[in-house]
Amino acid sequence: MTLLSAFKLLVYINTNEHDIVIGSPVSGRNSEVLENLICDLTNMLVLRTVIDENDRIYDVMHKVKETALGAFQNQELPFQEIYSVLHYEIEPGYSPLFQMMFVFHEIFPQEKEQFLEGLNTRYLNIKKKVSQFDISLNMFDDNEEGLYGKFEYNTDLFSRETILKFVNQFKELLEVLIENPDLKISELCVKINDNYHQKLIKGEKEENVLDIEKDIVDADSDNGAGYQIYKIL
């Protein structure tokens, strides 16, 4: 929940919007019968958190946790039914419930047993030409590379420089969440913004941004999808 909380606080700090709604996919394989079935059963969860400037960091983390646990308990409810109940019309390329997504991936080592017995498998990095949402944060827990993330963003809305700013702020947010969870959100905003401006004045650059970016396209074209990879640990 720490990573998701940090992402929501990142959105809050840069938009001053108190009502933060982020989508997150679940595998949809809660039954043993479905575990080895080769098909896409992914369902989307809508995770909403209202952040107040008088909250403390641990208050926000508690809100995020409670919302996520409640969503997981109802994860079998088809996403399309939510649209129907709310009388939303499904439009291609646009989600009326959220335009930001968070995904956590656990990268298993290749030597570990996999369900496709007898077949050699490997992970593929599929390069998109169009961003599905305004901005998405994919976090990867990889035994070989450590913890790292990928921002995917709509290049009509964000520049590479803005995303680099988000990278800086997100990494700093994680440090503050761990070291000072009783800090008020109003104080957190001042701290994060001041530190970023100090880095700009000193001319400091984001570290480790390109460590694992060699296989990623950093597009900057009309309606394109931009990518920014960065290391956490």
Side-chain angles (χ1 to χ4, degrees):
M1 303 301 173
T2 302
L3 295 170
L4 179 57
S5 298
F7 187 33
K8 292 205 171 195
L9 286 169
L10 176 69
V11 175
Y12 173 79
I13 289 171
N14 285 281
T15 64
N16 202 32
E17 290 289 338
H18 295 264
D19 198 346
I20 310 296
V21 181
I22 291 176
S24 188
V26 287
S27 63
R29 297 177 183 271
N30 294 328
S31 171
E32 188 176 344
V33 178
L34 301 175
E35 286 183 0
N36 294 334
L37 198 62
I38 302 177
C39 65
D40 183 14
L41 300 174
T42 304
N43 193 28
M44 295 297 296
L45 303 181
V46 183
L47 306 175
R48 179 185 184 188
T49 305
V50 178
I51 299 175
D52 188 274
E53 64 178 7
N54 294 316
D55 286 340
R56 298 188 182 275
I57 290 175
Y58 58 72
D59 295 323
V60 174
M61 295 180 70
H62 178 73
K63 290 179 182 179
V64 171
K65 179 181 178 180
E66 290 298 306
T67 298
L69 291 177
F72 289 141
Q73 290 176 356
N74 298 280
Q75 63 179 286
E76 294 181 357
L77 177 66
F79 192 55
Q80 289 77 4
E81 285 194 23
I82 299 178
Y83 278 118
S84 300
V85 171
L86 297 176
H87 304 292
Y88 279 125
E89 214 173 291
I90 299 178
E91 300 179 21
Y94 178 77
S95 171
L97 294 179
F98 60 86
Q99 277 298 308
M100 298 177 289
M101 187 168 70
F102 175 84
V103 189
F104 182 80
H105 306 264
E106 186 174 3
I107 307 298
F108 296 105
Q110 291 301 301
E111 62 269 14
K112 184 172 180 177
E113 278 187 38
Q114 301 184 34
F115 70 90
L116 295 174
E117 187 175 351
L119 295 179
N120 293 323
T121 62
R122 64 188 178 94
Y123 292 97
L124 295 177
N125 175 41
I126 301 175
K127 301 171 183 177
K128 300 179 182 178
K129 293 184 178 180
V130 178
S131 178
Q132 186 177 3
F133 299 98
D134 290 350
I135 189 168
S136 301
L137 174 58
N138 289 264
M139 296 301 304
F140 301 85
D141 186 7
D142 190 325
N143 285 346
E144 296 179 358
E145 296 286 355
L147 183 64
Y148 63 94
K150 178 178 82 171
F151 274 106
E152 177 184 315
Y153 58 95
N154 186 331
T155 54
D156 282 347
L157 301 176
F158 302 100
S159 67
R160 188 175 188 272
E161 289 70 26
T162 300
I163 299 301
L164 285 174
K165 171 187 174 183
F166 292 166
V167 169
N168 272 289
Q169 291 180 327
F170 184 74
K171 293 175 70 174
E172 187 173 353
L173 275 167
L174 289 175
E175 294 176 2
V176 177
L177 262 62
I178 294 170
E179 297 173 0
N180 196 4
D182 60 345
L183 190 68
K184 291 183 68 172
I185 300 304
S186 56
E187 298 169 343
L188 174 67
C189 293
V190 174
K191 178 182 178 67
I192 296 297
N193 286 322
D194 283 353
N195 288 352
Y196 178 71
H197 289 137
Q198 286 299 319
K199 285 185 178 181
L200 287 181
I201 293 172
K202 294 178 182 178
E204 294 181 14
K205 295 183 179 181
E206 172 58 28
E207 297 178 356
N208 294 325
V209 166
L210 301 178
D211 281 359
I212 48 179
E213 197 179 9
K214 55 183 177 297
D215 295 325
I216 302 298
V217 173
D218 186 24
D220 197 8
S221 57
D222 292 341
N223 299 315
Y227 302 90
Q228 186 60 65
I229 305 299
Y230 59 94
K231 289 291 294 283
I232 296 294
L233 297 174

